[in-house]
Amino acid sequence: MTTIARSHAHRPDVAPLQEGQVVTPFARRALAVTRIGFGLTFLWAFLDKLLALGFSTGRDETGAVDRLSGAAWVNGGSPTEGFLTFGADGPFQSLYHDIAGAWWADTLFMVGLAGIGLALTLGIGMRLATAAGALLYVLMWTVVLPPENNPVLDDHLLGAATLVALGALGAGDTWGFGRAWARTSLVRRFPVLR
């Protein structure tokens, strides 16, 4: 047992420390709130692009909202075309212009948003979800370089670092299905799915 685990062994409000677990209930709950918040953010981005709900997708140049318009992915709109065509800047600009609106880029982006969002919200598949989410954040960071308000850092890199921490600290176990998921035969056979 580690020193941390021994020092908390006498406290009834602290569960025994296992590898990858956070010690205090408050810390576990704080991580759970952060995990669920990130999950819902990914899910909202997916739904907005899927249905053009008028937040990032579905507004015309005057600001009028046209829900379920042609901008919706379900109606043939591209979730990557606008941002990668008009927002890309910096050393990777031509790469992002080349893939803007490609069917495979749209599909990977949307499947990624939905999968990452569901996994984080439910607390399952945290290893893959946090790795994929961190990669997606880093890729979004590379779309506009350098960042607008800092020569290096922006919210994309901080989001990536936060997702790595959530995955490393077992954040899916509190207010999520992480523990039950970990006991399934599939996850026991393939621990990367934890």
Side-chain angles (χ1 to χ4, degrees), residues 12 16 58 76 85 133 152:
T85 299
V152 178

Side-chain angles (χ1 to χ4, degrees), residues 140-165:
M140 289 190 294
W141 172 75
T142 65
V143 174
V144 182
L145 287 177
E148 185 177 329
N149 297 314
N150 184 300
V152 178
L153 286 175
D154 76 352
D155 57 329
H156 294 99
L157 291 184
L158 296 176
T162 302
L163 289 181
V164 169

Side-chain angles (χ1 to χ4, degrees), residues 77-96:
S78 170
T80 64
E81 186 174 25
F83 183 61
L84 295 183
T85 299
F86 303 108
D89 193 21
F92 303 108
Q93 181 178 11
S94 63
L95 168 70
Y96 287 118

Side-chain angles (χ1 to χ4, degrees), residues 33-81:
V33 168
T34 304
R35 170 186 54 81
I36 293 166
F38 270 89
L40 293 175
T41 301
F42 277 95
L43 283 177
W44 179 256
F46 169 77
L47 290 172
D48 187 45
K49 291 170 184 347
L50 180 71
L51 303 172
L53 298 176
F55 290 84
S56 291
T57 308
R59 286 187 183 269
D60 65 17
E61 50 280 339
T62 68
V65 176
D66 187 9
R67 290 181 176 87
L68 295 171
S69 66
W73 195 43
V74 295
N75 290 328
S78 170
T80 64
E81 186 174 25

Side-chain angles (χ1 to χ4, degrees), residues 42 46 106-118 132-133 136:
F42 277 95
F46 169 77
D106 289 345
T107 302
L108 284 174
F109 184 63
M110 292 297 283
V111 167
L113 289 176
I116 295 163
L118 281 172
L136 184 57

